[in-house]
Amino acid sequence: ELNSSLSGQYWLFDAVEDHYRKTPHFAQLKLHEIPEEATRVANFQTGKIDSFMMAMDSKAAIDKTEDIRYMVIPNGSTEHLGFYGNWYVGHGTDDQRPGYDPSLPWVSPNPDVTSPEWETARKVREALSIAIDRDLIVETLLGGEGAAQSLWNWENQIHNLDEDLRRIEFDPDRAKQLLIEAGYPDGFEITLTTSIRGVAAEVETCEAISEMWEDIGIDTTISSVPYMTQGPLLSGRIYNQAACHGTAGRLDPLELYPVTLHSSSGWSSGSDHPTLDALIDDALIQTDDVNHFRVMNQAARFIYENVMETGLYSVNILWPLGPKLEEWSAHLDYGDTRSFGSYEFAQPRNR
């Protein structure tokens, strides 16, 4: 039954006894569609709704509400940093990407990963990565509601990632030394663009990273443009600076590797390489988990050791629960972390 209210539409559902999936604990469910976060918060604080998927910025206000709990879902969204311009498939041919510019300190003029030129650019990328204090970002900008990530899209398969690839240690002193070794003792200029995608703290994180880079001598300019402007530049491999970018948390990194890191993808996270193309193609034809993650770890190691891109953090999804509700996280539909449901499993709180 669809109805309207002052805050938007709502749907009214009646419980079905002896349903094949689950007989709900509640006789009736009213599901509101409230577009504005501030309105959702106000309705929750006054007891008009019992729960909602909360924006992280609302936590401070919700924390003040009496007799609430949180249902915490890890890795609901994830943020990374791309070093754009590192496109090496078709290197030196007519297929070379338009934004490729080997004069940029983080881009190699040679795609051979054993070459001195590659190592110089790799050191620059490593310096940029290890100058970021991911733990501090999680603790301060996310209020601890997240986790530092070393590689993008591995947040829900971290147990299948080789252990030595799971962290990037914050080390600004080593970052400075790497810049000296790469021939940039006085740093260089770089632009850092925030892709506005709705991930918690994405803008603030980009700003924090710019300050951390300034601390190691990198002259950083923050660029804030609408994603409608930025997106075509990324897809066309035209933009060649650095960019923060977020997405929903993924069940498997292979969900996005073919569409972010492959040379044939319609969007780019900043880099491609013949070795990476071959590994992604190989992973796509594996039919069992053992070989799937064997190949995916080879791809992850190539990305991690060559700093083709770097993870930043994942963010928990928080559902504040009013005094009537107990959590039902064990029954949520993890197939799409952006639209959880399974409300038939919601339980009354035991008092």
Side-chain angles (χ1 to χ4, degrees), residues 155-173:
E155 57 278 345
N156 286 303
Q157 291 293 339
I158 196 73
H159 55 287
N160 281 315
L161 180 63
D162 287 346
E163 192 167 350
D164 63 323
L165 305 180
R166 296 179 187 178
R167 276 193 62 82
I168 296 174
E169 298 298 336
F170 172 55
D171 194 341
D173 291 335

Side-chain angles (χ1 to χ4, degrees), residues 176-214:
K176 293 176 184 177
Q177 181 59 39
L178 286 171
L179 291 178
I180 293 172
E181 293 174 12
Y184 298 96
D186 299 320
F188 50 83
E189 295 181 357
I190 191 170
T191 296
L192 179 57
T193 297
T194 300
S195 296
I196 308 298
R197 302 282 289 168
V199 175
E202 58 191 357
V203 174
E204 295 87 349
T205 292
C206 243
E207 292 171 348
I209 289 172
S210 73
E211 294 179 9
M212 294 171 187
W213 283 355
E214 293 280 352

Side-chain angles (χ1 to χ4, degrees), residues 56-70:
M56 190 64 68
D57 290 346
S58 300
K59 188 173 185 296
I62 296 297
D63 282 345
K64 300 174 183 177
T65 308
E66 290 187 14
D67 200 17
I68 65 153
R69 301 176 185 177
Y70 288 102

Side-chain angles (χ1 to χ4, degrees), residues 24-164:
H25 291 282
F26 293 93
Q28 202 168 65
L29 168 71
K30 183 184 286 187
L31 184 61
H32 294 266
E33 182 179 296
I34 305 174
E36 296 296 328
E37 175 73 6
T39 307
R40 294 193 288 268
V41 170
N43 275 273
F44 179 79
Q45 290 175 319
T46 55
K48 294 178 181 178
I49 60 175
D50 296 301
S51 186
F52 68 104
M53 190 183 292
M54 184 187 79
M56 190 64 68
D57 290 346
S58 300
K59 188 173 185 296
I62 296 297
D63 282 345
K64 300 174 183 177
T65 308
E66 290 187 14
D67 200 17
I68 65 153
R69 301 176 185 177
Y70 288 102
M71 183 165 65
V72 180
I73 315 301
N75 306 323
S77 57
T78 179
E79 188 83 7
H80 95 124
L81 178 68
F83 304 114
Y84 279 79
N86 283 284
W87 299 297
Y88 302 102
V89 176
H91 184 270
T93 72
D94 291 341
D95 293 328
Q96 185 67 66
R97 305 301 190 176
Y100 174 76
D101 181 357
S103 70
L104 297 171
W106 57 92
V107 177
S108 173
N110 191 337
D112 181 355
V113 298
T114 66
S115 68
E117 298 93 340
W118 180 273
E119 178 60 12
T120 295
R122 191 209 64 79
K123 284 182 176 180
V124 171
R125 297 193 297 269
E126 182 182 353
L128 292 170
S129 177
I130 66 175
I132 301 169
D133 191 340
R134 292 162 177 80
D135 291 329
L136 181 64
I137 289 171
V138 170
E139 186 60 32
T140 57
L141 299 182
L142 298 179
E145 293 293 345
Q149 298 292 335
S150 59
L151 289 164
W152 202 27
N153 304 136
W154 278 88
E155 57 278 345
N156 286 303
Q157 291 293 339
I158 196 73
H159 55 287
N160 281 315
L161 180 63
D162 287 346
E163 192 167 350
D164 63 323

Side-chain angles (χ1 to χ4, degrees), residues 303-317:
I303 296 166
Y304 183 96
E305 292 180 348
N306 290 286
V307 203
M308 305 303 289
E309 64 171 8
T310 185
L312 293 174
Y313 58 82
S314 62
V315 188
N316 299 338
I317 291 179

